[in-house]
Coordinates of all heavy atoms in Angstrom, one line a residue:
M1326 N 205.8 -65.5 15.4 CA 206.4 -66.7 14.9 C 207.9 -66.4 14.7 O 208.2 -65.5 14.0 CB 205.6 -67.1 13.6 CG 206.2 -68.1 12.8 SD 205.2 -68.7 11.4 CE 204.1 -67.3 11.0
S1327 N 208.7 -67.2 15.3 CA 210.2 -67.0 15.1 C 210.8 -68.2 14.4 O 210.6 -69.3 14.8 CB 210.8 -66.8 16.5 OG 210.6 -67.9 17.3
P1328 N 211.6 -67.9 13.4 CA 212.3 -69.0 12.7 C 213.5 -69.5 13.4 O 214.2 -68.8 14.1 CB 212.7 -68.4 11.3 CG 212.8 -66.9 11.6 CD 211.8 -66.6 12.7
I1329 N 213.8 -70.8 13.3 CA 215.0 -71.4 13.9 C 215.6 -72.1 12.7 O 215.0 -72.9 12.0 CB 214.6 -72.4 15.0 CG1 214.0 -71.7 16.2 CG2 215.9 -73.2 15.4 CD1 213.6 -72.7 17.3
A1330 N 216.9 -71.9 12.5 CA 217.6 -72.5 11.4 C 218.5 -73.7 11.9 O 219.2 -73.5 12.9 CB 218.5 -71.5 10.7
I1331 N 218.3 -74.8 11.3 CA 219.1 -76.0 11.5 C 219.7 -76.3 10.1 O 218.9 -76.2 9.2 CB 218.3 -77.1 12.1 CG1 217.7 -76.8 13.4 CG2 219.1 -78.4 12.2 CD1 216.7 -77.8 14.0
P1332 N 220.9 -76.6 10.0 CA 221.5 -76.9 8.7 C 220.5 -77.7 7.8 O 220.2 -78.8 8.1 CB 222.8 -77.6 8.9 CG 223.2 -77.1 10.3 CD 221.9 -76.9 11.0
G1333 N 220.1 -77.1 6.7 CA 219.2 -77.8 5.7 C 217.7 -77.8 6.1 O 216.9 -78.2 5.4
I1334 N 217.4 -77.2 7.3 CA 216.0 -77.2 7.8 C 215.7 -75.8 8.3 O 216.5 -75.2 9.0 CB 215.8 -78.3 8.9 CG1 216.1 -79.7 8.4 CG2 214.3 -78.2 9.4 CD1 216.1 -80.7 9.4
L1335 N 214.5 -75.3 8.0 CA 214.0 -74.1 8.6 C 212.7 -74.4 9.4 O 211.7 -74.9 8.8 CB 213.7 -73.0 7.6 CG 213.1 -71.7 8.1 CD1 214.2 -71.0 9.0 CD2 212.8 -70.8 6.9
L1336 N 212.7 -74.2 10.7 CA 211.5 -74.5 11.5 C 210.9 -73.2 11.9 O 211.6 -72.2 12.2 CB 211.9 -75.2 12.8 CG 212.5 -76.6 12.6 CD1 213.0 -77.1 14.0 CD2 211.6 -77.6 12.0
L1337 N 209.6 -73.1 11.8 CA 208.8 -71.9 12.3 C 208.2 -72.3 13.6 O 207.2 -73.0 13.7 CB 207.8 -71.5 11.2 CG 208.3 -71.1 9.9 CD1 207.2 -70.8 8.9 CD2 209.2 -69.9 10.0
V1338 N 208.8 -71.8 14.7 CA 208.4 -72.0 16.0 C 207.2 -71.2 16.3 O 207.2 -70.0 16.1 CB 209.5 -71.8 17.0 CG1 209.0 -72.1 18.4 CG2 210.7 -72.7 16.7
G1339 N 206.1 -71.7 16.9 CA 205.0 -71.0 17.3 C 203.9 -70.9 16.2 O 202.9 -70.4 16.4
A1340 N 204.2 -71.5 15.0 CA 203.3 -71.5 13.9 C 202.3 -72.6 14.1 O 202.6 -73.7 14.4 CB 204.0 -71.7 12.6
A1341 N 201.0 -72.3 14.1 CA 200.0 -73.3 14.2 C 199.7 -74.0 12.9 O 199.7 -73.3 11.8 CB 198.7 -72.6 14.7
A1342 N 199.6 -75.3 12.9 CA 199.3 -76.0 11.7 C 197.9 -75.7 11.1 O 197.0 -75.6 11.9 CB 199.5 -77.5 12.0
T1343 N 197.8 -75.7 9.8 CA 196.5 -75.5 9.2 C 196.3 -76.6 8.2 O 197.2 -76.9 7.4 CB 196.5 -74.2 8.4 OG1 196.7 -73.1 9.3 CG2 195.2 -73.9 7.7
G1344 N 195.2 -77.4 8.3 CA 195.0 -78.5 7.4 C 193.9 -79.4 7.9 O 193.0 -79.0 8.6
V1345 N 193.9 -80.6 7.4 CA 192.9 -81.6 7.7 C 193.6 -82.9 8.3 O 194.6 -83.3 7.7 CB 192.1 -82.0 6.5 CG1 191.1 -83.1 6.8 CG2 191.4 -80.8 5.9
G1346 N 193.1 -83.4 9.3 CA 193.6 -84.7 9.9 C 192.4 -85.6 10.2 O 191.2 -85.1 10.2
G1347 N 192.6 -86.8 10.3 CA 191.5 -87.7 10.6 C 191.9 -89.2 10.7 O 193.1 -89.5 10.7
R1348 N 190.9 -90.0 10.6 CA 191.1 -91.4 10.7 C 190.2 -92.1 9.8 O 189.0 -91.7 9.6 CB 190.8 -91.9 12.2 CG 191.0 -93.3 12.4 CD 191.0 -93.6 13.9 NE 191.3 -95.0 14.2 CZ 190.5 -95.9 14.7 NH1 189.3 -95.6 15.0 NH2 190.9 -97.1 14.9
V1349 N 190.7 -93.2 9.2 CA 189.9 -94.1 8.3 C 189.7 -95.4 8.9 O 190.7 -96.0 9.3 CB 190.5 -94.2 6.9 CG1 189.7 -95.0 5.9 CG2 190.8 -92.8 6.3
T1350 N 188.5 -95.9 9.0 CA 188.3 -97.3 9.5 C 187.5 -98.1 8.4 O 186.9 -97.6 7.6 CB 187.4 -97.2 10.8 OG1 186.2 -96.6 10.5 CG2 188.2 -96.6 11.9
V1351 N 187.7 -99.4 8.6 CA 187.0 -100.3 7.7 C 186.2 -101.3 8.5 O 186.7 -101.8 9.6 CB 188.0 -101.0 6.7 CG1 189.0 -101.9 7.5 CG2 187.3 -101.9 5.7
A1352 N 185.0 -101.6 8.1 CA 184.1 -102.6 8.8 C 183.3 -103.4 7.8 O 183.0 -102.8 6.7 CB 183.2 -101.9 9.8
P1353 N 182.9 -104.6 8.0 CA 183.4 -105.4 9.1 C 184.9 -105.7 9.0 O 185.4 -105.7 7.9 CB 182.6 -106.7 9.0 CG 181.6 -106.5 7.9 CD 181.9 -105.2 7.2
A1354 N 185.5 -105.9 10.1 CA 187.0 -106.1 10.2 C 187.3 -107.5 9.9 O 188.5 -107.8 9.6 CB 187.5 -105.6 11.5
H1355 N 186.4 -108.4 10.0 CA 186.7 -109.8 9.8 C 185.4 -110.5 9.3 O 184.3 -110.0 9.6 CB 187.2 -110.5 11.1 CG 186.3 -110.3 12.3 ND1 185.2 -111.0 12.5 CD2 186.4 -109.4 13.3 CE1 184.6 -110.5 13.6 NE2 185.3 -109.5 14.1
P1356 N 185.5 -111.6 8.6 CA 184.3 -112.3 8.2 C 183.6 -113.0 9.3 O 184.1 -113.2 10.4 CB 184.8 -113.3 7.2 CG 186.2 -113.6 7.6 CD 186.7 -112.3 8.2
G1357 N 182.3 -113.3 9.1 CA 181.5 -114.0 10.1 C 181.0 -113.1 11.1 O 181.1 -111.9 11.1
P1358 N 180.3 -113.7 12.1 CA 179.7 -112.9 13.2 C 180.7 -112.3 14.1 O 181.8 -112.8 14.3 CB 178.8 -113.9 14.0 CG 179.4 -115.3 13.6 CD 180.0 -115.1 12.3
Q1359 N 180.4 -111.1 14.6 CA 181.2 -110.4 15.5 C 181.1 -111.1 16.9 O 180.0 -111.3 17.4 CB 180.9 -108.9 15.6 CG 181.7 -108.1 16.5 CD 181.3 -106.7 16.5 OE1 180.6 -106.2 15.7 NE2 181.8 -106.0 17.5
R1360 N 182.3 -111.4 17.5 CA 182.3 -112.0 18.8 C 182.3 -110.9 19.9 O 182.8 -109.8 19.7 CB 183.5 -112.9 19.0 CG 183.4 -114.1 18.0 CD 184.5 -115.1 18.2 NE 184.4 -116.2 17.3 CZ 185.1 -116.4 16.3 NH1 186.1 -115.6 16.0 NH2 184.9 -117.4 15.5
I1361 N 181.8 -111.2 21.1 CA 181.8 -110.3 22.2 C 183.3 -109.9 22.5 O 184.1 -110.7 22.6 CB 181.2 -110.9 23.4 CG1 179.7 -111.1 23.1 CG2 181.4 -110.0 24.6 CD1 179.0 -111.9 24.2
G1362 N 183.5 -108.6 22.6 CA 184.8 -108.1 22.9 C 185.7 -107.8 21.6 O 186.7 -107.2 21.7
E1363 N 185.2 -108.3 20.4 CA 186.0 -108.0 19.2 C 185.4 -106.7 18.6 O 184.2 -106.5 18.6 CB 185.8 -109.1 18.2 CG 186.5 -110.3 18.4 CD 186.4 -111.3 17.3 OE1 185.3 -111.3 16.6 OE2 187.3 -112.1 17.0
P1364 N 186.3 -105.8 18.1 CA 185.8 -104.6 17.5 C 185.2 -104.9 16.1 O 185.7 -105.8 15.5 CB 187.1 -103.7 17.3 CG 188.2 -104.7 17.3 CD 187.8 -105.9 18.2
G1365 N 184.2 -104.2 15.8 CA 183.6 -104.4 14.5 C 184.3 -103.7 13.4 O 184.1 -104.0 12.2
N1366 N 185.2 -102.7 13.7 CA 185.9 -102.1 12.7 C 187.4 -102.1 13.0 O 187.8 -102.5 14.1 CB 185.4 -100.6 12.4 CG 185.6 -99.8 13.7 OD1 186.3 -100.1 14.6 ND2 185.0 -98.6 13.7
A1367 N 188.2 -101.7 12.0 CA 189.7 -101.7 12.2 C 190.2 -100.5 11.5 O 189.6 -100.0 10.5 CB 190.3 -103.0 11.7
P1368 N 191.4 -100.0 11.9 CA 192.0 -98.9 11.2 C 192.4 -99.4 9.8 O 192.8 -100.5 9.6 CB 193.3 -98.6 12.0 CG 193.2 -99.3 13.3 CD 192.2 -100.4 13.1
M1369 N 192.1 -98.5 8.8 CA 192.5 -98.8 7.4 C 193.9 -98.2 7.2 O 194.0 -97.0 7.0 CB 191.4 -98.3 6.5 CG 191.6 -98.8 5.1 SD 190.1 -98.3 4.1 CE 190.7 -98.8 2.5
Q1370 N 194.9 -99.1 7.2 CA 196.2 -98.6 7.0 C 196.6 -98.6 5.5 O 196.1 -99.3 4.7 CB 197.2 -99.5 7.8 CG 197.1 -101.0 7.6 CD 198.0 -101.7 8.5 OE1 199.2 -101.3 8.7 NE2 197.5 -102.7 9.2
K1371 N 197.5 -97.7 5.2 CA 198.0 -97.5 3.8 C 196.9 -97.1 2.9 O 197.0 -97.3 1.7 CB 198.8 -98.7 3.4 CG 200.0 -99.0 4.2 CD 200.8 -100.1 3.6 CE 202.0 -100.4 4.5 NZ 202.7 -101.6 4.0
A1372 N 195.9 -96.4 3.4 CA 194.8 -96.0 2.5 C 195.2 -94.6 1.9 O 195.8 -93.8 2.5 CB 193.5 -95.8 3.3
S1373 N 195.0 -94.5 0.6 CA 195.3 -93.2 -0.1 C 194.2 -92.2 0.1 O 193.0 -92.5 -0.3 CB 195.5 -93.6 -1.6 OG 195.8 -92.4 -2.3
I1374 N 194.5 -91.1 0.6 CA 193.6 -90.0 0.9 C 193.8 -88.9 -0.1 O 194.9 -88.5 -0.4 CB 193.8 -89.5 2.3 CG1 193.7 -90.6 3.4 CG2 192.8 -88.4 2.6 CD1 192.4 -91.3 3.4
R1375 N 192.7 -88.3 -0.5 CA 192.8 -87.1 -1.4 C 191.9 -86.0 -0.9 O 190.8 -86.3 -0.5 CB 192.6 -87.4 -2.9 CG 191.3 -88.0 -3.2 CD 191.2 -88.4 -4.6 NE 189.9 -88.9 -4.9 CZ 189.5 -89.4 -6.1 NH1 190.4 -89.5 -7.1 NH2 188.3 -89.8 -6.3
L1376 N 192.3 -84.8 -1.0 CA 191.5 -83.6 -0.7 C 191.2 -82.9 -2.0 O 192.1 -82.7 -2.8 CB 192.3 -82.6 0.2 CG 192.1 -82.8 1.7 CD1 192.6 -84.0 2.2 CD2 192.6 -81.6 2.4
L1377 N 189.9 -82.6 -2.1 CA 189.4 -81.9 -3.3 C 188.9 -80.5 -2.9 O 188.3 -80.3 -1.9 CB 188.3 -82.7 -4.0 CG 188.7 -84.0 -4.6 CD1 188.7 -85.1 -3.5 CD2 187.9 -84.4 -5.8
D1378 N 189.2 -79.5 -3.8 CA 188.7 -78.2 -3.6 C 187.2 -78.1 -4.0 O 186.6 -79.1 -4.5 CB 189.5 -77.1 -4.2 CG 189.6 -77.2 -5.7 OD1 188.7 -77.9 -6.4 OD2 190.4 -76.5 -6.3
A1379 N 186.6 -76.9 -4.0 CA 185.2 -76.7 -4.3 C 184.9 -77.0 -5.8 O 183.8 -77.3 -6.2 CB 184.8 -75.3 -4.0
Y1380 N 186.0 -77.1 -6.6 CA 185.8 -77.4 -8.1 C 186.1 -78.8 -8.4 O 186.1 -79.2 -9.5 CB 186.7 -76.5 -8.9 CG 186.5 -75.0 -8.7 CD1 187.3 -74.2 -7.9 CD2 185.4 -74.4 -9.2 CE1 187.1 -72.9 -7.6 CE2 185.1 -73.0 -9.0 CZ 185.9 -72.3 -8.2 OH 185.7 -71.0 -8.0
G1381 N 186.3 -79.6 -7.4 CA 186.6 -81.1 -7.6 C 188.0 -81.4 -8.0 O 188.3 -82.5 -8.4
R1382 N 188.9 -80.4 -7.8 CA 190.3 -80.7 -8.2 C 191.0 -81.2 -7.0 O 190.9 -80.7 -5.9 CB 191.0 -79.4 -8.6 CG 190.4 -78.8 -9.9 CD 191.1 -77.5 -10.2 NE 190.9 -76.5 -9.1 CZ 190.7 -75.2 -9.3 NH1 190.8 -74.7 -10.5 NH2 190.5 -74.4 -8.3
V1383 N 191.9 -82.2 -7.2 CA 192.7 -82.8 -6.1 C 193.8 -81.7 -5.8 O 194.6 -81.3 -6.7 CB 193.3 -84.1 -6.5 CG1 194.3 -84.6 -5.4 CG2 192.3 -85.2 -6.9
V1384 N 193.8 -81.3 -4.5 CA 194.8 -80.3 -4.1 C 195.8 -80.8 -3.2 O 196.9 -80.2 -2.9 CB 194.1 -79.1 -3.5 CG1 193.2 -78.3 -4.5 CG2 193.2 -79.5 -2.3
A1385 N 195.6 -82.0 -2.6 CA 196.6 -82.6 -1.7 C 196.3 -84.1 -1.6 O 195.1 -84.6 -1.8 CB 196.5 -82.0 -0.3
R1386 N 197.3 -84.9 -1.2 CA 197.2 -86.3 -1.0 C 197.9 -86.7 0.3 O 198.8 -86.0 0.7 CB 197.7 -87.1 -2.2 CG 197.0 -87.0 -3.4 CD 197.6 -87.8 -4.5 NE 196.8 -87.7 -5.8 CZ 195.7 -88.4 -6.1 NH1 195.3 -89.4 -5.2 NH2 195.1 -88.3 -7.2
S1387 N 197.5 -87.8 0.8 CA 198.2 -88.4 2.0 C 197.9 -89.9 2.0 O 197.1 -90.4 1.3 CB 197.6 -87.7 3.3 OG 198.4 -88.2 4.4
V1388 N 198.6 -90.6 2.9 CA 198.4 -92.0 3.1 C 198.3 -92.3 4.6 O 199.0 -91.7 5.4 CB 199.6 -92.8 2.6 CG1 199.5 -94.3 2.9 CG2 199.8 -92.6 1.1
T1389 N 197.3 -93.1 5.0 CA 197.1 -93.4 6.4 C 198.2 -94.3 7.0 O 198.8 -95.1 6.3 CB 195.8 -94.1 6.7 OG1 195.8 -95.3 6.0 CG2 194.6 -93.2 6.2
G1390 N 198.5 -94.1 8.3 CA 199.5 -94.9 9.0 C 198.8 -96.2 9.5 O 197.6 -96.5 9.2
A1391 N 199.6 -96.9 10.3 CA 199.1 -98.2 10.8 C 197.8 -98.0 11.7 O 197.0 -98.9 11.8 CB 200.2 -98.9 11.6
D1392 N 197.7 -96.8 12.3 CA 196.5 -96.5 13.1 C 195.3 -96.0 12.3 O 194.3 -95.6 12.9 CB 196.9 -95.6 14.2 CG 197.5 -94.3 13.7 OD1 197.6 -94.1 12.5 OD2 197.7 -93.4 14.6
G1393 N 195.5 -95.9 11.0 CA 194.4 -95.4 10.1 C 194.4 -93.8 10.1 O 193.5 -93.2 9.5
R1394 N 195.3 -93.2 10.8 CA 195.3 -91.7 10.8 C 196.1 -91.1 9.7 O 197.0 -91.7 9.2 CB 195.8 -91.2 12.2 CG 194.9 -91.7 13.3 CD 195.0 -90.9 14.6 NE 194.8 -89.5 14.4 CZ 193.6 -88.9 14.3 NH1 192.5 -89.5 14.3 NH2 193.6 -87.5 14.2
F1395 N 195.7 -89.9 9.3 CA 196.4 -89.1 8.3 C 196.4 -87.6 8.7 O 195.5 -87.2 9.5 CB 195.8 -89.3 6.9 CG 194.4 -88.7 6.8 CD1 194.3 -87.4 6.3 CD2 193.3 -89.4 7.2 CE1 193.0 -86.9 6.2 CE2 192.0 -88.9 7.1 CZ 191.9 -87.6 6.6
S1396 N 197.2 -86.8 8.0 CA 197.1 -85.4 8.2 C 197.7 -84.8 6.9 O 198.6 -85.3 6.3 CB 197.9 -84.8 9.4 OG 199.2 -85.2 9.3
V1397 N 197.0 -83.7 6.5 CA 197.4 -83.0 5.3 C 197.4 -81.5 5.6 O 196.4 -81.0 6.2 CB 196.4 -83.2 4.1 CG1 196.8 -82.5 2.9 CG2 196.3 -84.7 3.8
F1398 N 198.4 -80.8 5.2 CA 198.5 -79.4 5.5 C 198.1 -78.6 4.3 O 198.8 -78.7 3.2 CB 199.9 -79.0 6.0 CG 200.3 -79.8 7.2 CD1 201.1 -80.9 7.2 CD2 199.8 -79.5 8.5 CE1 201.4 -81.7 8.3 CE2 200.0 -80.2 9.6 CZ 200.9 -81.3 9.5
V1399 N 197.1 -77.8 4.4 CA 196.5 -77.1 3.3 C 196.1 -75.7 3.8 O 195.9 -75.5 5.0 CB 195.3 -77.8 2.6 CG1 195.7 -79.0 1.9 CG2 194.2 -78.1 3.6
P1400 N 195.9 -74.7 2.9 CA 195.4 -73.4 3.3 C 194.0 -73.5 3.8 O 193.3 -74.4 3.5 CB 195.5 -72.6 2.1 CG 196.3 -73.3 1.1 CD 196.3 -74.7 1.5
A1401 N 193.6 -72.5 4.6 CA 192.2 -72.4 5.0 C 191.2 -72.5 3.8 O 191.6 -72.0 2.8 CB 192.0 -71.1 5.8
G1402 N 190.1 -73.1 4.0 CA 189.1 -73.3 3.0 C 188.2 -74.4 3.2 O 188.2 -75.1 4.3
E1403 N 187.4 -74.8 2.2 CA 186.5 -75.9 2.3 C 187.0 -77.0 1.4 O 187.3 -76.7 0.2 CB 185.1 -75.5 2.0 CG 184.4 -74.6 3.0 CD 183.0 -74.4 2.8 OE1 182.3 -75.3 2.4 OE2 182.5 -73.2 3.0
Y1404 N 187.0 -78.2 1.9 CA 187.5 -79.4 1.1 C 186.6 -80.6 1.3 O 185.9 -80.7 2.3 CB 188.9 -79.8 1.6 CG 189.9 -78.7 1.5 CD1 190.1 -77.8 2.6 CD2 190.6 -78.5 0.3 CE1 191.0 -76.8 2.5 CE2 191.5 -77.5 0.2 CZ 191.7 -76.6 1.3 OH 192.7 -75.6 1.2
S1405 N 186.6 -81.4 0.3 CA 186.0 -82.8 0.4 C 187.2 -83.7 0.6 O 188.2 -83.6 0.0 CB 185.3 -83.2 -0.9 OG 184.2 -82.4 -1.1
V1406 N 187.0 -84.7 1.5 CA 188.1 -85.6 1.8 C 187.5 -87.0 1.4 O 186.4 -87.4 1.8 CB 188.4 -85.6 3.3 CG1 189.6 -86.5 3.6 CG2 188.6 -84.2 3.8
E1407 N 188.3 -87.7 0.6 CA 187.9 -89.0 0.0 C 189.1 -90.0 0.2 O 190.2 -89.7 0.2 CB 187.6 -88.9 -1.4 CG 186.5 -88.0 -1.8 CD 186.3 -87.9 -3.3 OE1 187.1 -88.3 -4.1 OE2 185.2 -87.3 -3.7
V1408 N 188.7 -91.3 0.3 CA 189.6 -92.4 0.2 C 189.7 -92.8 -1.3 O 188.6 -93.1 -1.9 CB 189.2 -93.6 1.1 CG1 190.2 -94.7 0.9 CG2 189.1 -93.2 2.5
D1409 N 190.8 -92.8 -1.9 CA 191.0 -93.1 -3.3 C 191.2 -94.6 -3.4 O 192.3 -95.1 -3.1 CB 192.2 -92.4 -3.8 CG 192.4 -92.6 -5.3 OD1 191.6 -93.4 -5.9 OD2 193.3 -92.0 -5.9
V1410 N 190.2 -95.4 -3.8 CA 190.4 -96.8 -4.0 C 190.6 -97.2 -5.4 O 190.6 -98.4 -5.8 CB 189.1 -97.6 -3.4 CG1 189.0 -97.4 -1.9 CG2 187.9 -97.2 -4.2
G1411 N 190.8 -96.2 -6.3 CA 191.1 -96.5 -7.7 C 189.9 -97.1 -8.4 O 188.8 -96.7 -8.1
A1412 N 190.2 -98.1 -9.1 CA 189.1 -98.8 -9.9 C 188.5 -100.0 -9.1 O 187.7 -100.7 -9.6 CB 189.7 -99.3 -11.2
A1413 N 189.0 -100.2 -7.8 CA 188.5 -101.3 -7.0 C 187.0 -101.2 -6.7 O 186.5 -100.1 -6.5 CB 189.3 -101.4 -5.8
V1414 N 186.3 -102.3 -6.7 CA 184.9 -102.3 -6.3 C 184.8 -102.2 -4.8 O 183.9 -101.5 -4.2 CB 184.2 -103.6 -6.8 CG1 182.8 -103.6 -6.3 CG2 184.3 -103.6 -8.3
L1415 N 185.7 -102.8 -4.0 CA 185.7 -102.8 -2.6 C 187.1 -102.4 -2.1 O 188.1 -102.7 -2.7 CB 185.4 -104.2 -2.0 CG 183.9 -104.7 -2.2 CD1 183.8 -106.1 -1.8 CD2 182.9 -103.8 -1.5
P1416 N 187.2 -101.7 -1.0 CA 186.1 -101.3 -0.1 C 185.3 -100.1 -0.7 O 185.9 -99.3 -1.5 CB 186.8 -100.9 1.2 CG 188.2 -100.4 0.7 CD 188.5 -101.3 -0.5
R1417 N 184.1 -99.9 -0.2 CA 183.3 -98.7 -0.6 C 183.5 -97.8 0.6 O 183.2 -98.1 1.7 CB 181.8 -99.1 -0.8 CG 181.6 -99.9 -2.0 CD 180.1 -100.1 -2.2 NE 179.5 -101.0 -1.2 CZ 179.5 -102.3 -1.2 NH1 180.0 -102.9 -2.2 NH2 179.0 -103.0 -0.2
C1418 N 183.9 -96.6 0.3 CA 184.2 -95.6 1.3 C 183.4 -94.3 1.1 O 183.1 -93.9 0.0 CB 185.7 -95.2 1.3 SG 186.8 -96.6 1.5
G1419 N 183.0 -93.8 2.3 CA 182.3 -92.5 2.3 C 183.2 -91.4 2.1 O 184.5 -91.5 2.1
S1420 N 182.7 -90.2 2.0 CA 183.5 -89.0 2.0 C 183.2 -88.1 3.1 O 182.2 -88.3 3.8 CB 183.4 -88.2 0.6 OG 182.0 -87.8 0.5
A1421 N 184.0 -87.0 3.3 CA 183.7 -86.1 4.4 C 183.9 -84.7 3.9 O 184.7 -84.4 3.0 CB 184.6 -86.4 5.6
H1422 N 183.2 -83.7 4.5 CA 183.4 -82.3 4.2 C 184.2 -81.7 5.4 O 183.9 -81.9 6.5 CB 182.0 -81.7 4.1 CG 182.1 -80.2 3.8 ND1 182.3 -79.8 2.5 CD2 182.0 -79.1 4.6 CE1 182.3 -78.4 2.5 NE2 182.1 -78.0 3.8
A1423 N 185.2 -80.9 5.0 CA 186.1 -80.3 6.0 C 186.1 -78.8 5.8 O 186.4 -78.4 4.7 CB 187.5 -80.9 6.0
I1424 N 185.9 -78.1 6.9 CA 186.1 -76.6 6.8 C 187.3 -76.3 7.6 O 187.4 -76.6 8.8 CB 184.9 -75.9 7.4 CG1 183.6 -76.2 6.6 CG2 185.1 -74.4 7.4 CD1 182.3 -75.6 7.1
V1425 N 188.4 -75.8 6.9 CA 189.6 -75.6 7.5 C 189.8 -74.1 7.8 O 189.6 -73.2 6.9 CB 190.8 -76.0 6.6 CG1 192.1 -75.7 7.2 CG2 190.7 -77.5 6.3
R1426 N 190.0 -73.7 9.1 CA 190.2 -72.4 9.5 C 191.7 -72.1 9.7 O 192.4 -73.0 10.1 CB 189.4 -72.1 10.8 CG 187.9 -72.1 10.5 CD 187.1 -71.8 11.7 NE 185.7 -71.6 11.5 CZ 184.9 -72.6 11.2 NH1 185.3 -73.8 11.1 NH2 183.6 -72.3 11.0
D1427 N 192.2 -70.9 9.4 CA 193.6 -70.6 9.6 C 194.1 -70.9 11.0 O 193.5 -70.6 12.0 CB 193.8 -69.1 9.3 CG 195.2 -68.8 9.0 OD1 195.9 -69.6 8.4 OD2 195.6 -67.6 9.3
G1428 N 195.2 -71.7 11.0 CA 195.8 -72.0 12.3 C 195.2 -73.2 13.0 O 195.5 -73.5 14.1
E1429 N 194.2 -73.9 12.3 CA 193.6 -75.0 12.9 C 193.6 -76.3 12.0 O 193.7 -76.2 10.8 CB 192.1 -74.7 13.2 CG 191.9 -73.6 14.2 CD 190.4 -73.3 14.4 OE1 189.5 -74.1 13.9 OE2 190.1 -72.3 15.0
M1430 N 193.5 -77.4 12.6 CA 193.4 -78.7 11.9 C 192.0 -79.2 12.0 O 191.5 -79.4 13.1 CB 194.3 -79.8 12.5 CG 195.8 -79.5 12.3 SD 196.3 -79.6 10.6 CE 196.2 -81.4 10.3
A1431 N 191.3 -79.3 10.9 CA 189.9 -79.9 10.9 C 190.0 -81.4 11.0 O 190.9 -82.0 10.4 CB 189.2 -79.5 9.6
E1432 N 189.2 -82.0 11.8 CA 189.2 -83.4 12.0 C 188.0 -84.1 11.3 O 186.9 -83.6 11.4 CB 189.1 -83.8 13.5 CG 190.4 -83.6 14.2 CD 191.4 -84.7 13.9 OE1 191.1 -85.9 13.8 OE2 192.6 -84.4 13.7
V1433 N 188.3 -85.2 10.6 CA 187.2 -85.9 9.9 C 187.4 -87.4 10.2 O 188.4 -87.9 10.6 CB 187.2 -85.7 8.4 CG1 187.0 -84.3 8.0 CG2 188.5 -86.2 7.8
E1434 N 186.3 -88.1 10.1 CA 186.3 -89.6 10.2 C 185.7 -90.1 8.9 O 184.6 -89.7 8.5 CB 185.4 -90.0 11.4 CG 185.9 -89.6 12.8 CD 187.0 -90.5 13.2 OE1 187.0 -91.7 12.9 OE2 187.9 -90.0 14.0
L1435 N 186.4 -91.1 8.3 CA 185.9 -91.8 7.1 C 185.7 -93.2 7.4 O 186.6 -93.9 8.0 CB 186.9 -91.6 6.0 CG 187.1 -90.1 5.5 CD1 188.4 -90.0 4.7 CD2 185.9 -89.7 4.7
E1436 N 184.6 -93.8 7.0 CA 184.3 -95.2 7.2 C 184.2 -95.9 5.8 O 183.6 -95.4 4.9 CB 183.0 -95.3 7.9 CG 183.1 -94.8 9.3 CD 181.8 -94.9 10.1 OE1 180.8 -95.4 9.5 OE2 181.8 -94.5 11.3
C1437 N 184.8 -97.1 5.8 CA 184.7 -97.9 4.5 C 184.1 -99.2 4.8 O 184.2 -99.8 5.9 CB 186.2 -98.1 4.0 SG 187.0 -96.6 3.6
D1438 N 183.3 -99.7 3.9 CA 182.7 -101.0 4.0 C 183.6 -102.0 3.2 O 183.8 -101.9 2.1 CB 181.3 -100.9 3.3 CG 180.5 -102.3 3.3 OD1 181.1 -103.3 3.8 OD2 179.4 -102.3 2.8
S1439 N 184.1 -103.0 4.0 CA 185.0 -104.0 3.4 C 184.3 -105.0 2.5 O 184.9 -105.6 1.7 CB 185.6 -104.8 4.5 OG 184.7 -105.6 5.2
G1440 N 183.0 -105.1 2.6 CA 182.2 -106.0 1.8 C 182.1 -107.4 2.4 O 181.4 -108.3 1.9
M1441 N 182.9 -107.7 3.5 CA 182.8 -109.0 4.1 C 181.5 -109.2 4.8 O 181.0 -108.2 5.5 CB 183.9 -109.1 5.2 CG 185.3 -109.4 4.6 SD 186.5 -109.8 5.9 CE 187.2 -108.3 6.2
R1442 N 181.0 -110.3 4.7 CA 179.7 -110.7 5.4 C 179.8 -112.0 6.1 O 180.5 -112.9 5.7 CB 178.5 -110.6 4.5 CG 178.3 -109.2 3.9 CD 177.9 -108.2 4.9 NE 177.7 -106.9 4.3 CZ 178.5 -105.9 4.5 NH1 179.6 -106.0 5.1 NH2 178.2 -104.7 3.9

């Protein structure tokens, strides 16, 4: 790994990212029956993501983009990944387990129930 210095920035070239990335979707994406050709789910944008260690402590946070994707850079280890909806009743979101290996990005998919019927 070789460092490159740019005024105010230090880049490590050749360093592999270590962390968790993934996508959050919400379904149903719209009320009423699903029409042919319409997706049943949609990316959940601006969702607050938190990573918890084996002791349940929040060790990192992120926010999803317009495509529902996020990434968090953390050391190798095991993590739980959750969507933080605060005190809201909906959406109801599942969690995921991520095993992060040094130099790799673990990928997870999280699904949320919008409550629309």
